Amino acid sequence: MENGIDSTHAFYHFCKSALEDIEQQGRYRRFTPLSRQSSSYPLYESNNTLPSNKPVVVWSSNDYLGMGVEPEVINAAIVAVKNYGAGAGGTRNIAGTHPLHLELEAELADLHNKEAGLIFVCGYLSNQTSLQTILNSMNGNWIVFSDRLNHASMIAGIKGSRKSSCIIFEHNDLEDLEKKLATAPKDAQKLIAFESVYSMDGDIADLRGMCALARKYNALTYLDEVHAVGLYGNQGGGVSERDNVADQIDIIEGTLAKGFGVHGGYVTAKKAIIEYLRLAASGFIFTTSLPPSIAAACLTSVKLVRKQQWRRDKLFERVRTFQRKLRKANISFMQTESHIVPVMIRDAELCKEISDRLLKEYALYATPINYPTVPKGTERLRLTPNPFHTDEMMDDMVNALKTLL
Ligand SMILES: *Cc1c(COP(=O)(O)O)cnc(C)c1O
């Protein structure tokens, strides 16, 4: 056989039947290719996949502030590509560190009021490799307290550690966390891993409460601010900036790909912790660094976001306006203090069908969120208004939902 394994191979059969199972359970994911129009965000071209060929209004982007289409950010990338080339050409240690990488790390450390920062090729990797490296340190004798709804990348890091034990506490439940902290041996090395804004329900952790418990039980704190950076706090330093607790969080992790609109992940912490990760984290060392053009775009974006309060103000004004319109139309959604608006459908098939019909009949795109991403019976459309959704776009969405629900 010249084309690899043939169809009698056991693995081939396994794949075929796994795919059938996934299809039967309604969990087969299909891409919806849409090309973003940088001059008219949140409009995307549907590339003739729709009968109307109308531009599609996207309601599910994580580019929360529109930084990925900001002309200054785009231009920074263009200039850097021209000057420095398309790729980095090496890992950070092997000819792949550009001065822009260092500048970006310093900027991020400053954003979170930390001594140092370290960038990774994506947020997933920053969580996975940082947690794994920390939990493998000191002979691996760690107990991790992990929020039940923590992101897959944190879970991967925790599972990837060799000896640490993991105790899951109920989501955002300080009482449960304290109960579990109290039963752990006093002298065990403890780390609490949690997020600020949880992306599916849009709820926000009590960071102050978490920090108080961490101090009481002498635990390290590791906070994923992926859905908060750029959006919360006076400079977009996340909920830890907003709540004035950044100095009590030992490691703050974030992404450059959501609120900052570009690409990459990072952690910030005390210099010694960052240096240790820089020298020990496999997922940092053994991979080609971010292209200088991406670092340039990120740096421009972070600097702009820090000073452009109007983006945060406009985002939250748009979110509140959209929530008001939904309420007036009697459409059921989860009212949260965050920028995420989950519109509850509570049925997997219906959720997918409504999403399909929104796209085909109304040129509106909202991702259906089904099990296993959320519990069965809580299926939803996850809507994320951004500063550039107009009143008219909102009315179109509300009217379409009113018809379809
Ligand atoms: C998206 C996400 C990540 C990963 O960030 P990327 O930069 O997209 O890899 C990490 N944590 C949470 C909570 C996320 O939603």
Side-chain angles (χ1 to χ4, degrees):
M1 223 7 229
E2 286 183 34
N3 267 328
I5 62 167
D6 64 51
S7 53
T8 61
H9 196 285
F11 181 59
Y12 183 84
H13 278 288
F14 162 80
C15 292
K16 291 291 270 189
S17 83
L19 295 179
E20 276 165 28
D21 287 351
I22 291 170
E23 176 80 88
Q24 245 176 21
Q25 294 159 15
R27 295 196 290 117
Y28 205 104
R29 294 167 194 241
R30 288 184 175 81
F31 294 137
T32 305
L34 292 165
S35 46
R36 176 148 76 148
Q37 301 302 292
S38 61
S39 58
S40 54
Y41 188 58
L43 294 182
Y44 287 56
E45 239 161 50
S46 64
N47 303 80
N48 297 321
T49 52
L50 298 183
S52 65
N53 203 25
K54 265 190 6 188
V56 174
V57 180
V58 166
W59 280 89
S60 292
S61 168
N62 284 336
D63 187 349
Y64 298 127
L65 299 170
M67 294 313 292
V69 296
E70 161 59 41
E72 278 189 58
V73 172
I74 295 173
N75 202 46
I78 292 171
V79 170
V81 156
K82 286 196 173 144
N83 288 341
Y84 311 124
T91 66
R92 286 293 295 274
N93 290 299
I94 307 180
T97 294
H98 191 281
L100 283 164
H101 291 123
L102 302 176
E103 227 186 301
L104 177 57
E105 287 170 339
E107 181 74 24
L108 292 166
D110 190 60
L111 170 68
H112 294 294
N113 224 342
K114 297 287 176 204
E115 290 174 7
L118 195 65
I119 49 179
F120 299 80
V121 293
C122 66
Y124 184 102
L125 201 60
S126 64
N127 270 336
Q128 187 271 325
T129 199
S130 298
L131 279 170
Q132 180 175 322
T133 305
I134 293 165
L135 300 175
N136 276 338
S137 71
M138 305 178 74
N139 295 320
N141 293 319
W142 288 88
I143 302 176
V144 198
F145 297 83
S146 175
D147 188 286
R148 181 173 291 287
L149 295 190
N150 271 346
H151 190 258
S153 53
M154 281 198 267
I155 296 168
I158 293 167
K159 284 197 173 154
S161 63
R162 284 185 299 269
K163 289 203 300 194
S164 71
S165 49
C166 178
I167 295 173
I168 290 168
F169 62 93
E170 294 310 320
H171 175 54
N172 275 349
D173 187 339
L174 290 180
E175 242 174 74
D176 188 53
L177 172 59
E178 171 144 35
K179 210 169 67 199
K180 287 169 174 165
L181 280 166
T183 58
K186 252 204 154 80
D187 55 349
Q189 288 150 199
K190 306 181 194 77
L191 179 143
I192 309 173
F194 54 109
E195 302 180 22
S196 54
V197 176
Y198 285 81
S199 74
M200 291 305 147
D201 288 352
D203 54 338
I204 299 181
D206 173 0
L207 299 190
R208 203 164 272 286
M210 289 281 186
C211 291
L213 284 183
R215 264 201 316 278
K216 182 167 170 191
Y217 292 93
N218 195 24
L220 229 60
T221 40
Y222 183 103
L223 174 64
D224 175 319
E225 287 253 45
V226 160
H227 289 279
V229 288
L231 282 66
Y232 298 81
N234 285 335
Q235 298 190 61
V239 180
S240 56
E241 184 194 5
R242 184 195 73 175
D243 294 355
N244 219 355
V245 292
D247 58 340
Q248 296 179 44
I249 312 268
D250 296 297
I251 297 131
I252 296 179
E253 184 271 350
T255 184
L256 295 153
K258 291 172 185 171
F260 293 124
V262 190
H263 200 89
Y266 64 89
V267 294
T268 64
K270 277 200 162 44
K271 174 105 186 191
I273 296 176
I274 293 299
E275 281 294 277
Y276 180 70
L277 290 174
R278 191 173 72 78
L279 299 174
S282 175
F284 174 81
I285 299 169
F286 297 103
T287 186
T288 302
S289 54
L290 284 176
S293 57
I294 297 300
C298 289
L299 185 59
T300 303
S301 175
V302 175
K303 283 183 171 168
L304 282 179
V305 165
R306 291 183 76 172
K307 60 183 190 209
Q308 292 184 331
Q309 182 60 32
W310 68 263
R311 283 185 197 266
R312 285 180 281 279
D313 293 344
K314 185 80 186 164
L315 169 73
F316 285 99
E317 179 276 316
R318 294 285 74 196
V319 169
R320 302 305 165 224
T321 300
F322 185 56
Q323 288 172 328
R324 215 162 38 240
K325 286 175 184 288
L326 287 172
R327 213 174 295 119
K328 219 170 129 196
N330 258 328
I331 293 166
S332 147
F333 66 99
M334 280 166 96
Q335 172 74 55
T336 69
E337 58 163 325
S338 79
H339 59 288
I340 294 161
V341 185
V343 171
M344 305 312 288
I345 310 291
R346 305 182 195 283
D347 178 89
E349 249 159 66
L350 189 61
C351 193
K352 219 191 136 317
E353 184 196 318
I354 288 175
S355 171
D356 286 346
R357 290 186 63 192
L358 279 173
L359 184 60
K360 294 211 174 75
E361 296 168 30
Y362 299 89
L364 299 170
Y365 182 72
T367 317
I369 310 277
N370 283 348
Y371 178 83
T373 309
V374 295
K376 285 183 182 154
T378 72
E379 293 81 3
R380 71 205 55 188
L381 300 172
R382 178 182 177 271
L383 305 186
T384 50
N386 69 48
F388 306 100
H389 281 103
T390 63
D391 274 9
E392 199 190 341
M393 290 172 182
M394 292 184 179
D395 291 337
D396 285 348
M397 178 52 103
V398 169
N399 289 332
L401 287 172
K402 224 160 56 179
T403 315
L404 294 176
L405 287 176

